[in-house]
C-alpha cells in the first residue's frame, strides 16, 4: 500500500508540473504532451497497483487453500469420532 501511495503521489505531482510546463496548443495536444511527459510515473503507478492486487489475490488463494484443508481435517475428525464411538 505504501508503494502505491508513493507512486500515486509522484505521478500526480509530475502531472501537475507537466500541465504548468505544457506548450501552448489545443487541449488534446497539451493532454498528449502531459501524458508523454508523465508516462514513466504512470507506468510505475500501474505496476505498483498491479503488485498490490496480485498480493491480495495470493492471500485470498492461501485462505481458500487453508479453508479446504480445515474442511478435510474436520471430515477426518468426524469419521474418526464415528468409528471410535459407533456401536458394534
Amino acid at each position: 500500500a505504501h508503494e502505491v501511495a508513493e507512486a500515486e503521489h509522484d505521478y500526480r505531482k509530475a502531472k501537475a508540473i507537466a500541465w504548468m510546463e505544457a506548450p501552448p496548443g489545443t487541449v488534446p495536444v497539451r493532454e498528449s504532451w502531459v501524458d508523454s511527459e508523465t508516462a514513466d510515473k504512470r507506468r510505475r503507478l500501474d505496476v505498483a497497483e498491479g503488485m498490490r492486487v496480485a498480493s491480495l489475490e495470493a492471500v485470498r488463494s492461501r485462505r481458500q487453500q487453508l479453508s479446504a484443508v480445515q474442511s478435510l481435517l474436520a471430515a477426518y475428525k468426524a469419521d474418526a469420532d464415528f468409528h471410535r464411538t459407533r456401536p458394534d
Side-chain angles (χ1 to χ4, degrees):
H2 179 73
E3 286 184 28
V4 174
E6 286 292 321
E8 185 168 2
H9 170 77
D10 291 346
Y11 171 66
R12 287 177 182 256
K13 183 177 176 181
K15 193 165 186 173
I17 291 169
W19 272 108
M20 289 188 303
E21 297 172 350
T26 63
V27 172
V29 169
R30 294 179 75 203
E31 284 177 344
S32 294
W33 187 86
V34 168
D35 289 344
S36 69
E37 290 294 306
T38 58
D40 288 341
K41 301 280 184 184
R42 180 63 198 202
R43 186 185 64 74
R44 181 174 169 245
L45 173 59
D46 291 344
V47 168
E49 286 176 343
M51 293 300 292
R52 182 184 65 81
V53 169
S55 296
L56 288 173
E57 289 301 319
V59 168
R60 287 186 187 116
S61 175
R62 293 288 185 229
R63 283 182 184 157
Q64 289 294 328
Q65 291 172 359
L66 182 57
S67 178
V69 168
Q70 289 172 332
S71 295
L72 287 172
L73 289 175
Y76 289 138
K77 182 182 180 302
D79 189 51
D81 288 345
F82 172 76
H83 288 293
R84 183 173 42 92
T85 60
R86 73 176 176 181
D88 287 327

